[in-house]
Amino acid sequence: MKLLKYLIILVVLPTGCFTGEELEPDQEIWEYAFPDDAGMSNDLLLEVNSGITAGSFQTVRSMIIIKDDKLIFENYYNGDTRGTIRPIGRSSPMVTVLALGIAIEEGLIGGVNVLIRDVLPIQYDDIFASNPLKRRITIEHLLLFESGLSWNEGVLNLNDPANDVNAVKFSDDWVRFVLEKPLEAEPGIRFNFNSMSATVIAKIIEESANMPFEEYVETKLFNKIGVVNYTWEEDPTGSINAGTGLEINTLDLTKIGYLYLKEGLWQGERIVSEAWIESAVTLRKEVTNTINYGYGWHLFADQLNFPKLSPNDTYFFPQHVFVSPSENLLVTLSGDNINLPTFGPPLLLYSEVITPLLQ
């Protein structure tokens, strides 16, 4: 019986995740291991797989688990394969944050306290000339969603004109759309979640590097960690939507998450500094009694009390990437609905089903 169980796991994990006449090229980043060998239950993880297949977590189309630097689970559902790319919506800024850290380390940007008016292209000077308070907005204000700019992203239906993530798509210049929003508070005073803040940061990186943002990310980050299956959305001016516009396959998204787990190292090569990774995932803003924030990253607050999760130890982008350094654990998910509220099926799958499997 034990031999049969291990044969089933071998089918589900290393080979059973592909469809079509030819298998996709194998990954060469992580060694494969059985969940039991990495402190998770083989039997229980197979039950989780069966639950996903049966539709218990209706938005989930793929799941990869890296534990103790081994790939212990990888599977795809409802016709998706390793090569399928999907939009990751509000998780896109995890790439923007890495690119910003690299640009700061290269001396292209003077740090997070730089005023954005000093590092944006001159075509936006008129916005800051007309409003003195907007001149006080820093890069860190954008990272912490404290710019003070009016923004409504709480409407789940992205086709609703009241949702600014939808409204921005009808403008010719998405950076200008964000910056021209009226100020509702002084910069640094009020928290207001705004995914498109990352698009402004991407424009800053582009201007500072004198290179298109997509090219900068590809050269400084993606090429080095082997990310090849992705596309970016862009506005009519060619600016990259770094806030919600990345489409990527789950395996490549896992590589990005793994770079955070390893504090900026990739196979022994330093891609981004450990100090920057720590800055990005450190608690910087307490918003509710359940969720805190770093630079775009969400952190579990102490009142969630999820099994096996220490307060502010696990950090995540809600529907896609979950990183738990104390457990040396990375879970990556993809699904149909990329704009669910924070407490959607992927988060509940991770917090209430996956982490309790830790032995």
Side-chain angles (χ1 to χ4, degrees), residues 1 16 27 29-30 46 69 90 109 116 126 134 140 174-175 191 198 207 250 254 261 287-288 291 305 333 336 340 356:
M1 180 63 71
Q27 62 83 25
I29 306 303
W30 303 281
L46 282 173
D69 305 310
R90 294 172 178 146
I109 298 172
I116 66 171
D126 61 300
K134 287 186 179 181
E140 186 166 60
W174 299 350
V175 173
F191 175 90
E207 176 72 6
T250 307
T254 303
L261 179 62
V287 178
T288 70
I291 298 296
N305 295 321
L333 300 157
D336 291 326
L340 288 168

Side-chain angles (χ1 to χ4, degrees), residues 217-272:
V217 169
E218 184 176 287
T219 303
K220 303 295 183 176
L221 177 61
F222 283 177
N223 286 348
K224 295 184 177 183
I225 65 175
V227 170
V228 295
N229 296 301
Y230 66 93
T231 62
W232 287 101
E233 182 182 32
E234 61 182 47
D235 75 5
T237 72
S239 294
I240 293 296
N241 175 7
T244 62
L246 180 61
E247 295 188 19
I248 193 168
N249 71 29
T250 307
L251 189 65
D252 279 347
L253 183 59
T254 303
K255 296 172 186 176
I256 298 167
Y258 192 68
L259 193 59
Y260 279 95
L261 179 62
K262 297 290 105 178
E263 299 177 321
L265 281 176
W266 181 261
Q267 297 183 324
E269 180 184 359
R270 174 64 62 187
I271 305 299
V272 62

Side-chain angles (χ1 to χ4, degrees), residues 173-225:
D173 184 334
W174 299 350
V175 173
R176 177 170 288 276
F177 181 93
V178 175
L179 296 175
E180 286 186 337
K181 296 291 283 186
L183 275 175
E184 295 184 336
E186 291 187 20
I189 300 298
R190 196 183 86 170
F191 175 90
N192 185 22
F193 189 85
N194 181 346
S195 294
M196 296 301 288
S197 293
T199 296
V200 179
I201 293 173
K203 179 59 72 173
I204 290 170
I205 295 170
E206 183 172 289
E207 176 72 6
S208 302
N210 194 28
M211 180 187 300
F213 175 76
E214 182 178 9
E215 182 181 345
Y216 186 80
V217 169
E218 184 176 287
T219 303
K220 303 295 183 176
L221 177 61
F222 283 177
N223 286 348
K224 295 184 177 183
I225 65 175

Side-chain angles (χ1 to χ4, degrees), residues 146-159:
E146 295 180 335
S147 67
L149 294 167
S150 170
W151 194 260
N152 180 9
E153 200 166 323
V155 182
L156 292 183
N157 181 3
L158 292 188
N159 294 319

Side-chain angles (χ1 to χ4, degrees), residues 35-104:
D36 277 348
D37 297 331
M40 299 184 79
S41 167
N42 293 338
D43 290 333
L44 293 177
L45 198 49
L46 282 173
E47 289 181 15
V48 172
N49 179 73
S50 297
I52 296 174
T53 301
S56 299
F57 302 92
Q58 70 270 24
T59 66
V60 174
R61 281 187 171 266
S62 66
M63 182 168 70
I64 293 176
I65 301 177
I66 307 295
K67 179 72 170 72
D68 296 339
D69 305 310
K70 302 289 196 303
L71 195 157
I72 66 166
F73 187 92
E74 179 184 9
N75 209 3
Y76 301 87
Y77 309 93
N78 299 310
D80 277 19
T81 70
R82 182 179 274 177
T84 302
I85 67 171
R86 286 194 169 276
I88 62 170
R90 294 172 178 146
S91 296
S92 303
M94 64 186 295
V95 174
T96 316
V97 170
L98 286 173
L100 175 62
I102 295 169
I104 290 174

